[in-house]
Amino acid sequence: MKITVFGSGYVGLVTGTCLAKVGNHVVCVDIDEEKIARLREGRSPIFEPGLENLLVDNIRAGRLEFTSDFARGVEHGLFQFIAVGTPPDEDGSADLQHVLAVARTIGQHMEDYRIIVNKSTVPVGTAVRVREAAQQELDQRGKRIEFDVVSNPEFLKEGAAIEDFMKPDRIIIGTDNPRTTELLRILYAPFNRNRERVIPMDVRSAELTKYAANAMLATKISFMNELANMAERLGADIENVRIGIGADPRIGYHFIYPGCGYGGSCFPKDVKALTRTADTIGYRAELLQAVENVNNRQKAALFHKIQSHFGNKLAGRTFALWGLAFKPNTDDMRDAPSRALMEALWEAGASVRAYDPVAMDEARRIYGEQPALTLCDSPADALAQADALVVVTEWNEFRSPDFDHVKSALKAPVVFDGRNIYNPGHMLEMGFQYYPMGRPTGSPRKA
């Protein structure tokens, strides 16, 4: 099939590359000429395991092309995927200007039947606005051309996006036209072989399903962080609590790990947008507001632990940070807990020595020549003469470090663990002052 994808960011690039992998001819359209040139060379602008190899393979096979020519994109594909960003507006609502601009572009160049597939995360009712925007352009041209608008939300986890697309747990197709549903079934047939994954529904329900999924996962995280804060004050161990409640199949173990807050491109933005959607219909979404409030508070938890340990005397101190990305296997630092922590430390007069396996370039892009930030070449380098180690992202390479080296490199054996990746008992036995999230702490044993 011939497919056009508007937007070559995270969702658009993964979608286009994976659809090309199964034999489709995909053209990705983007306004960023520099990005297009990079992609034509097979260089991905984002870090995602396995993506760049797939990108190169599909380009060489002639199944994947990149262009800034919008007219060519509209001419090429029966399926016109919209996969552009919907950043939060000042009031927290999703900014649809890029989505609607693509819809207008399709209307300006459409010459025969097209299926406009909205892959971007958008509020309920966006499909109607997309249809109106495209139709308005057709009316101005005096053209009567049939087209359909479909909601087909993505459920890709950063760090596992290729696997999620190739082996999806569900494929939501929101459309009011049964014929369009069948065409989408054919498109997704290669990803739907061993069991039925397609879930057809009306457009509005599909739009809400995406927000509901992310809001539910964010709720689980904030709930566990709330329990972790209580456990600290009650003398309980949140890890035991996690195992105890996760054994209940109605709850399960997914997304019940406490930590220093969620971040990334989806959860913060989508919880805000869904809350704003509730406001527009006169409904007060108290639970969603609480989820966001708890997360904002949790992002400050590590700083408060550090502040308490050092008696509010942070000026002139240096802290080693392991992990900058909001989670492992990505370079995404949008709304990352590391940013909240570093900015609070800088404001208090401290400096940071940071290391992340893949997010160093992103940190340079965000902070430039920040004098209080040193980006280090290795975890060991970050430790040099730091007053304490702070673990912010649970990368595998941080899980079993040389603790003897950690202890000798730091000015004092102090570790703040924002992801609970170490055993409190072992840390105390090795002589560390150890501060996890929601777990017992104590003084190290004397030798």
Side-chain angles (χ1 to χ4, degrees), residues 102-169:
V102 173
R104 287 191 289 271
T105 297
I106 294 171
Q108 288 164 6
H109 299 286
M110 191 190 313
E111 293 296 340
D112 52 16
Y113 178 68
R114 290 291 181 266
I115 300 172
I116 302 175
V117 183
N118 203 347
K119 210 70 171 157
S120 300
T121 301
V122 294
V124 176
T126 299
V128 174
R129 296 183 62 183
V130 167
R131 174 173 286 283
E132 290 172 349
Q135 187 62 56
Q136 200 170 51
E137 297 297 330
L138 287 172
D139 291 344
Q140 288 180 5
R141 294 168 57 205
K143 297 277 189 175
R144 297 186 64 182
I145 301 170
E146 184 185 4
F147 67 96
D148 283 303
V149 179
V150 176
S151 175
N152 175 220
E154 52 84 15
F155 298 97
L156 306 175
K157 298 187 294 291
E158 291 192 47
I162 302 298
E163 180 77 6
D164 287 345
F165 198 101
M166 301 304 293
K167 298 177 181 178
D169 45 23

Side-chain angles (χ1 to χ4, degrees), residues 14 45 97 115 163 229 255 257 260 295 303 307-308 324 353-354 384 395 411 442:
V14 171
Q97 62 172 316
I115 300 172
E163 180 77 6
N229 294 333
F255 283 83
Y257 289 88
C260 49
N295 190 58
F303 176 73
Q307 204 174 34
S308 175
L324 293 169
R353 295 177 61 82
W395 286 93
K411 288 182 181 178

